[in-house]
Amino acid sequence: MKLWGITHRGAVRQQNQDAYAVRELEDGRGLAVVCDGMGGARAGNVASSMAVELFMRKLEEQGQPGDDPQKWLKTAAAHANDGVFQKAVEDPDCTGMGTTLVAALAGNGKAVLLNEGDSRAYHINEDGITRLTRDHSVVEDMVARGDITPEEARTHPRKNLITRALGSEERIRADLYEKELQPGDFLLLCSDGLSNIVTDQELLYEAIHGGEPSDCCQRLLHITLSRGAPDNVTAVLIRC
């Protein structure tokens, strides 16, 4: 199991409100989480960094994932939600803040994923690329209804409006997913600062054909920056 990650404020934003963490567990499985904060100049940064810290700390307190990794992830996400929500309630500077959260536990032939918001997880191998998570966003709902196409969603003026965020409500509403894995498969977790700029086929190419996997996140960041990088950019790659 190999894990790599990178985050950058982009070419326009003055502050990086993304945060991430990666860790290899004692049993050899890989763990990653990406958060993209919202709620103003200071609050977005607080939300994402708090969520990552609280999420990882709660996972450590729980010990190894055991036989119920979905519960393991959801318990940690609920703990992070509680902390961010209380901070938003108690601190006037943080009113209304929240963050996306996408997390993956990979190993033993399976990935377990949790998602709230529009940060994404992809599965990549020689056969192609598949998005594993569903965005909780206005444009994703429009695509599901057939109002717009996925191509139109990429440039839609409401593409940044999300319908769920960790910490914005008292209870978490995250989705859980599972995916079978083969040796050599990749999982890519990213904020929308990457997925809004780099196409799925480009993500596939860089992971499989672009060069060493250890440099893939850096290559994806370079592509995003070369196209103006209007948002913060975070990418995490797991090789199984």
Side-chain angles (χ1 to χ4, degrees), residues 39-209:
R42 174 169 174 264
N45 181 56
V46 171
S48 61
S49 59
M50 273 191 69
V52 168
E53 180 181 354
L54 292 171
F55 181 80
M56 297 297 286
R57 186 189 305 164
K58 190 64 175 179
L59 292 179
E60 187 174 343
E61 289 176 2
Q62 293 182 89
Q64 295 301 299
D67 296 329
D68 195 350
Q70 286 198 8
K71 181 180 179 182
W72 188 72
L73 289 175
K74 193 165 186 178
T75 298
H79 177 69
N81 187 82
D82 290 345
V84 175
F85 180 79
Q86 286 302 316
K87 179 70 172 177
V89 169
E90 296 169 1
D91 188 340
D93 290 337
C94 295
T95 299
M97 76 175 181
T99 180
T100 70
L101 186 147
V102 60
L105 173 68
N108 300 333
K110 183 173 71 173
V112 180
L113 305 108
L114 180 144
N115 183 56
E116 183 158 15
D118 64 353
S119 293
R120 294 179 175 180
Y122 293 88
H123 173 257
I124 302 172
N125 61 19
E126 294 280 355
D127 295 327
I129 181 169
T130 304
R131 176 152 57 107
L132 299 177
T133 54
R134 183 185 186 278
D135 293 349
H136 303 129
S137 68
V138 170
V139 295
E140 187 86 338
D141 292 343
M142 294 171 71
V143 170
R145 292 194 303 266
D147 296 340
I148 60 174
T149 67
E151 292 72 25
E152 290 170 333
R154 292 184 63 83
T155 57
H156 196 278
R158 302 179 72 191
K159 68 181 179 180
N160 293 324
L161 296 179
I162 60 175
T163 55
R164 298 187 202 175
L166 185 141
S168 64
E169 298 179 7
E170 194 167 1
R171 293 185 179 275
I172 192 170
R173 293 194 291 149
D175 292 333
L176 289 154
Y177 307 86
E178 292 192 358
K179 174 67 177 179
E180 292 186 4
L181 299 173
Q182 299 296 324
D185 285 2
F186 292 97
L187 292 174
L188 174 68
L189 277 59
C190 64
S191 62
D192 67 342
L194 179 69
S195 58
N196 281 342
I197 303 300
V198 183
T199 68
D200 288 5
Q201 288 305 305
E202 289 171 325
L203 298 175
L204 170 65
Y205 178 85
E206 292 301 334
I208 301 297
H209 305 294

Side-chain angles (χ1 to χ4, degrees), residues 215-227:
D215 299 325
C216 180
C217 293
Q218 182 65 56
R219 293 194 301 272
L220 293 173
L221 173 60
H222 177 75
I223 293 170
T224 310
L225 290 170
S226 71
R227 296 174 183 173

